[in-house]
Amino acid sequence: MGIYFNPTNESFTQAKNSMIYVDKTELLEQLNLRLSTENKCIAVSHARRFGKSHAAGMIDAYYSLGCDSSNLFDNTKIAANADYKKYMNKYNVIHLDISSFWDDFKDNLVEKIKEYIIDDFKKSFNDEIDYSKKFSVILMSVYKKNNYSICNHY
């Protein structure tokens, strides 16, 4: 679908097809335990070179409505979990990599992020949502439209 809203599984597919791949899909089991709880909002942050992009790509591929990952997670650790397909590709996902905005938009970072996400929403929902409202209202409209949770990755 979009770049920021409901991304594809391309990033995780590339990682999984690499010569050196470390299966960290058990992280998804821990995230699944948080769904429908007060602890469902998670920020992925670590020092540089600790695998944030890999983890975010895996999370996108697993949860995003923007792709079909039904075969991608076969032969991974998460596949041993009886419920692993229960949550697969069932959620709206917003994927943000702040470093991709930082160099060009330091002075108006938040506004640019909102602008890019709204552009993706427009591709998915056209005029079905009132984009003149506050960003929080727009997010709630997307939530109500699909009746799915929105997962945020940073």
Side-chain angles (χ1 to χ4, degrees), residues 110-140:
V110 173
E111 291 309 311
K112 276 299 181 185
I113 289 171
K114 290 177 187 178
E115 178 183 319
Y116 279 75
I117 292 171
I118 288 171
D119 285 348
D120 271 5
F121 286 169
K122 288 177 180 177
K123 291 174 193 168
S124 295
F125 302 111
N126 298 313
D127 294 330
E128 299 173 42
I129 293 174
D130 183 355
Y131 301 103
S132 66
K133 304 272 186 184
K134 288 179 23 177
F135 190 68
S136 59
V137 174
I138 295 169
L139 286 174
M140 188 52 67

Side-chain angles (χ1 to χ4, degrees), residues 72-135:
L72 185 58
F73 286 89
D74 291 346
N75 303 315
T76 63
K77 292 178 181 179
I78 187 72
N81 185 302
D83 288 337
Y84 96 98
K85 287 199 175 186
K86 178 179 178 180
Y87 306 104
M88 186 180 290
N89 303 129
K90 301 263 194 291
Y91 295 89
N92 284 317
V93 172
I94 296 175
H95 178 111
L96 298 176
D97 178 353
I98 302 304
S99 66
S100 66
F101 288 91
W102 185 254
D103 289 337
D104 295 327
F105 306 115
K106 284 180 206 158
D107 297 332
N108 58 346
L109 182 67
V110 173
E111 291 309 311
K112 276 299 181 185
I113 289 171
K114 290 177 187 178
E115 178 183 319
Y116 279 75
I117 292 171
I118 288 171
D119 285 348
D120 271 5
F121 286 169
K122 288 177 180 177
K123 291 174 193 168
S124 295
F125 302 111
N126 298 313
D127 294 330
E128 299 173 42
I129 293 174
D130 183 355
Y131 301 103
S132 66
K133 304 272 186 184
K134 288 179 23 177
F135 190 68

Side-chain angles (χ1 to χ4, degrees), residues 26-81:
E26 289 174 308
L27 169 65
L28 298 168
E29 287 183 57
Q30 297 304 308
L31 297 177
N32 288 343
L33 294 174
R34 291 171 166 247
L35 294 174
S36 301
T37 73
E38 291 181 356
N39 300 322
K40 65 181 166 262
C41 294
I42 299 167
V44 179
S45 63
H46 284 288
R48 296 185 58 159
R49 317 297 336 144
F50 273 82
K52 292 181 299 295
S53 295
H54 172 73
M58 176 182 66
I59 291 167
D60 292 344
Y62 185 74
Y63 291 109
S64 178
L65 282 168
C67 57
D68 177 5
S69 298
S70 54
N71 297 321
L72 185 58
F73 286 89
D74 291 346
N75 303 315
T76 63
K77 292 178 181 179
I78 187 72
N81 185 302

